[in-house]
Amino acid sequence: MANRYKCRNYKSAVQFYNSGTQAIEDTDLVASPIILALGTRVTDTGVAIDFNSFDIDIENSGLYRISAVLDVLGVTGGDVTFAIALNGQVLPETINTITAVAGISELISFETIRVINACCVNRDFNFSIVAFSDGTGEATVERLSGNALKLA
């Protein structure tokens, strides 16, 4: 059955969550961060944003807000970093590093607002949530939720 809200008359928005655990190991380094699974789509309206398991694809030019909240459980001591990436490049304003402590949960959040110029030459814009370790820290993401919204 087609999503009747995927229509250009509706505001483009995607809401998602993942309550499955996702491990960040001490071998997931900054040079090869893992891309977290976004999980289940809750809301998906409009035509400017497409959702898939690991990223949010932007289809039309405009101003977009991307945000996420993660519940992270420390496994071994060390730094673990989370961020939003655009086309695989970490966005510096979204970097959030925690010092993992075994058995201790932390709630982290990040958000960015970006102008995307999805012209006919370059239409490949995707946002993902990435994680990496300093080489010693390990953690699990116990729950992830977030959204993407076309503001204008």
Side-chain angles (χ1 to χ4, degrees):
M1 182 177 171
N3 180 350
R4 64 187 176 109
Y5 299 107
K6 290 301 273 184
C7 169
R8 67 177 53 261
N9 297 328
Y10 286 96
K11 182 83 169 166
S12 293
V14 170
Q15 177 77 31
F16 54 88
Y17 75 96
N18 189 343
S19 56
T21 59
Q22 301 182 69
I24 296 89
E25 299 177 351
D26 59 6
T27 55
D28 299 319
L29 303 175
V30 69
S32 58
I34 66 164
I35 299 172
L36 298 176
L38 302 180
T40 303
R41 171 182 25 210
V42 177
T43 301
D44 187 359
T45 65
V47 298
I49 303 171
D50 279 336
F51 173 88
N52 70 52
S53 299
F54 290 93
D55 63 28
I56 301 292
D57 296 323
I58 303 301
E59 301 297 331
N60 297 327
S61 296
L63 182 65
Y64 292 85
R65 184 187 73 211
I66 313 294
S67 59
V69 176
L70 286 69
D71 184 5
V72 180
L73 178 65
V75 175
T76 61
D79 289 345
V80 180
T81 300
F82 301 88
I84 297 173
L86 174 59
N87 294 342
Q89 300 297 310
V90 170
L91 301 177
E93 72 274 17
T94 67
I95 293 173
N96 198 327
T97 301
I98 64 163
T99 300
V101 177
I104 302 296
S105 285
E106 292 198 43
L107 194 63
I108 62 171
S109 63
F110 34 71
E111 176 175 270
T112 189
I113 295 176
R114 285 289 170 121
V115 173
I116 300 297
N117 185 14
C119 69
C120 56
V121 175
N122 185 5
R123 293 185 58 94
D124 186 26
F125 292 95
N126 58 69
F127 289 96
S128 56
I129 300 173
V130 298
F132 53 89
S133 170
D134 67 351
T136 60
E138 293 186 343
T140 58
V141 176
E142 301 291 314
R143 182 169 174 80
L144 174 155
S145 63
N147 62 66
L149 177 65
K150 185 171 190 274
L151 300 172

